[in-house]
Amino acid sequence: MQKGKKRFSLAITALTALSVVLSGCGGGGSTASGGEGTSEKPVELIWYTIGTPQKDVDTVMAEVSKYTTEKIGATVTMKMIDWGDYQQKMQVMVASGEPMDIIFTSSGGFDYVQNARKGAFMELDSLIDEYGQDLKNTIDPAFLEGSKVDGHNYAIPANKELPQQEVWRFNQNLIEEYKMDTSGVRTLDSLEPLLKTIKENAPDVTPFAMDKNYIPYVPYDYVIQNLPMAVKLDTTDYKVVNILETPEMKEALTTMRKYYQAGYIAPEAATTGSTSDLGISGKWLLDRAQTQPFADNVWSTSNGYPITSTPASDAIITNNSVQGSMMAISANSEYPEKAMQFLNLLNTDATLRNMVDSGIEGTHYKKTADNRMENLPESKNYDMPSYSLGNNMLLNLNPNDPDNKWDEFKTFNESGVDSPILSFNFDPKNVSSELAAVQNVKEQFWSSLMTGTVDPETYLPQAIEKFNQAGLEKVMAEAQTQLDAWKAENGK
């Protein structure tokens, strides 16, 4: 990182209030009215979100709908799509015009920037100004400012951790049972003694859990998430490189291949959409995840057994972290005003936010104090990914959470270091056909390389050649041109 660079989040926090020109918003069938005591027939909001479909989701949404009908005159139907299927299925359903109002999006899940530019999402500026003032005053300004596309908001970011920090997570029961030491773990190579120990002593355990979305960590920020164009985090020249040609990625892929051949990685890793079954069974030793303050407590509570973690990277504020969890309103929503009223309520009303996150009080969890809870056995039927569901800082505290948990989040957010390309959003319109071809090559090679399923000595040169034949070099040149202009415009 370059020393002396102003932190993005602090700079944004210091911004004066922006002036917004109010304008009408498209979409029919809804009204500007609707709230407590409304006598109008409630409208149905259809919400598509990411995560393993839960048994009790309809039951919980029925209770949510009672609450939202009273508050804003709307019911909520949630449709969950599993992790590994979300991107592809959402692309098909949005293209086909499937009815939907609210859509989970992120930099890595149903790509926020690209889909905003394609017209999949409604521009929200005037809706936020008219129906979202409460959330505007609640969410860290860095999220709303950092997630703009071409100067406009197209989704509401979750108020959560601002930097992105990778960690190695450990099944602490197995760590203790086999007397393993995790204190020196940081790099991918440092995992080997732990993986070897569990492979030799517990053959029914998956040593290194991962799904097809796994990518070895290297100190670069991707221009487009999960495609091979990236800029090194400590760059001075802002050069866009092919991540597959970097020495760091080549070394990581070699290590992954070694781990795969040793049996530390499941043979089906490159095609597995989710490892949730492993999490339920406890038959795993370690994996990698993005952390937040006291994340170990959340993971332990969710899984029902102790999980610990150690850093695998520094805390970096990237487009991926600022745009890591967002809710957009579909450009084809029949009720955009109601959808924004719901998002405003979800991000400011603790009762609604906790119901969506934890289910029904007395069924899925019990309150132990005003802002504390414990999961009940039925919580296994409604185990939701908290990060994807709105303002995390409204959530009840788990049994092991300290009283100052959300203050620690604010401290963590202020500690992050900016990526050199934070707020740069690549516009692919000049290379759209090449980018589509590059995406097709990625589907052919990416997961199998990243999970160690194939030998990088053989397949990495083939992948690089295929990417270049598809037009990656042209896409990278366009990205470099845009980045150079952005760099000059922003005085980098």
Side-chain angles (χ1 to χ4, degrees):
M1 285 297 115
Q2 291 174 287
K3 295 182 179 179
K5 183 188 291 184
K6 292 182 179 179
R7 286 195 61 259
F8 178 81
S9 56
L10 294 181
I12 295 302
T13 303
L15 286 176
T16 56
L18 298 174
S19 59
V20 180
V21 178
L22 298 179
S23 60
C25 205
S30 62
T31 67
S33 63
E36 295 191 43
T38 180
S39 59
E40 297 175 3
K41 182 180 179 181
V43 304
E44 180 191 16
L45 298 176
I46 301 173
W47 177 6
Y48 276 86
T49 193
I50 195 168
T52 303
Q54 297 297 300
K55 178 181 177 182
D56 284 357
V57 68
D58 290 342
T59 303
V60 174
M61 287 304 119
E63 291 300 309
V64 166
S65 293
K66 292 177 185 177
Y67 191 77
T68 55
T69 295
E70 178 184 345
K71 290 289 186 179
I72 61 169
T75 65
V76 180
T77 298
M78 178 184 282
K79 297 181 181 291
M80 300 186 72
I81 299 177
D82 217 342
W83 303 95
D85 299 326
Y86 190 79
Q87 176 95 359
Q88 184 176 9
K89 287 189 175 181
M90 286 306 302
Q91 286 175 345
V92 172
M93 285 190 292
V94 168
S96 67
E98 185 79 16
M100 58 185 69
D101 298 285
I102 298 166
I103 306 171
F104 171 83
T105 180
S106 69
S107 52
F110 196 51
D111 191 295
Y112 166 62
V113 173
Q114 305 308 324
N115 280 291
R117 285 182 169 146
K118 288 177 183 176
F121 308 142
M122 190 170 291
E123 182 191 307
L124 301 183
D125 296 358
S126 60
L127 283 172
I128 292 172
D129 197 67
E130 187 167 358
Y131 301 106
Q133 283 296 324
D134 295 334
L135 71 83
K136 197 173 182 180
N137 293 330
T138 300
I139 295 175
D140 187 324
F143 281 111
L144 283 171
E145 187 65 22
S147 60
K148 287 184 176 180
V149 177
D150 304 325
H152 300 285
N153 286 112
Y154 290 88
I156 303 301
N159 199 36
K160 59 184 188 63
E161 72 281 358
L162 185 59
Q164 177 176 312
Q165 184 174 25
E166 300 291 323
V167 293
W168 300 114
R169 297 195 306 179
F170 305 101
N171 182 339
Q172 190 61 21
N173 285 340
L174 293 175
I175 294 294
E176 292 177 1
E177 181 178 353
Y178 295 101
K179 298 179 172 57
M180 292 181 276
D181 181 12
T182 62
S183 60
V185 171
R186 172 82 180 203
T187 65
L188 183 62
D189 287 335
S190 68
L191 300 173
E192 188 166 16
L194 306 178
L195 299 171
K196 186 173 187 291
T197 296
I198 207 70
K199 179 66 176 177
E200 292 175 349
N201 291 279
D204 61 331
V205 170
T206 299
F208 195 164
M210 67 185 65
D211 62 25
K212 63 184 180 182
N213 298 308
Y214 177 86
I215 302 173
Y217 175 78
V218 290
Y220 289 77
D221 191 5
Y222 290 84
V223 174
I224 298 178
Q225 194 66 16
N226 299 336
L227 283 182
M229 301 183 296
V231 175
K232 198 166 187 181
L233 289 176
D234 63 357
T235 188
T236 56
D237 59 7
Y238 287 75
K239 183 179 180 181
V240 178
V241 299
N242 181 343
I243 198 75
L244 298 177
E245 295 178 337
T246 65
E248 295 93 341
M249 183 58 84
K250 289 178 180 178
E251 180 182 350
L253 295 182
T254 299
T255 300
M256 292 300 297
R257 179 60 177 170
K258 178 172 68 172
Y259 288 173
Y260 184 90
Q261 289 182 307
Y264 303 153
I265 297 168
E268 66 275 10
T271 57
T272 296
S274 171
T275 58
S276 59
D277 288 348
L278 281 179
I280 293 170
S281 69
K283 296 291 186 179
W284 63 285
L285 174 65
L286 64 86
D287 67 1
R288 204 188 75 222
Q290 291 178 14
T291 194
Q292 56 183 231
F294 312 110
D296 292 3
N297 291 343
V298 176
W299 292 325
S300 299
T301 299
S302 178
N303 283 272
Y305 52 87
I307 292 175
T308 58
S309 63
T310 60
S313 75
D314 295 329
I316 308 295
I317 302 174
T318 67
N319 287 348
N320 190 40
S321 62
V322 173
Q323 302 168 8
S325 173
M326 312 185 74
M327 291 185 210
I329 295 177
S330 170
N332 296 321
S333 171
E334 191 176 354
Y335 309 109
E337 294 91 349
K338 288 294 184 188
M340 179 54 72
Q341 288 178 31
F342 173 73
L343 293 178
N344 184 71
L345 194 67
L346 181 65
N347 284 280
T348 58
D349 185 303
T351 298
L352 175 60
R353 180 64 183 91
N354 280 282
M355 198 185 315
V356 168
D357 185 81
S358 302
I360 301 168
E361 184 178 355
T363 300
H364 300 101
Y365 73 96
K366 67 177 181 179
K367 292 288 287 290
T368 57
D370 283 346
N371 66 335
R372 286 190 172 275
M373 58 158 280
E374 289 183 4
N375 280 333
L376 296 173
E378 287 300 306
S379 65
K380 69 181 183 297
N381 295 323
Y382 192 75
D383 185 12
M384 303 292 283
S386 294
Y387 88 98
S388 65
L389 301 172
N391 184 356
N392 277 14
M393 298 190 194
L394 296 176
L395 293 176
N396 291 321
L397 300 177
N398 289 307
N400 295 325
D401 286 337
D403 291 336
N404 68 337
K405 175 177 180 175
W406 302 122
D407 292 331
E408 289 297 315
F409 263 70
K410 293 173 184 176
T411 300
F412 179 68
N413 287 353
E414 292 172 358
S415 73
V417 178
D418 291 355
S419 160
I421 60 171
L422 179 65
S423 80
F424 169 69
N425 290 310
F426 174 57
D427 187 348
K429 66 173 181 268
N430 293 332
V431 287
S432 56
S433 60
E434 289 84 0
L435 193 58
V438 166
Q439 289 276 12
N440 289 334
V441 174
K442 183 211 166 191
E443 295 301 318
Q444 181 181 354
F445 287 96
W446 196 256
S447 295
S448 56
L449 272 171
M450 297 299 160
T451 57
T453 305
V454 297
D455 186 357
E457 284 292 323
T458 301
Y459 283 87
L460 187 57
Q462 291 181 22
I464 292 170
E465 182 179 3
K466 290 288 188 181
F467 272 120
N468 289 336
Q469 288 174 354
L472 178 61
E473 290 174 319
K474 183 177 178 180
V475 177
M476 288 174 58
E478 175 66 19
Q480 189 70 65
T481 298
Q482 293 183 27
L483 182 59
D484 290 344
W486 174 87
K487 178 174 176 283
E489 182 179 346
N490 289 275
K492 300 290 185 179

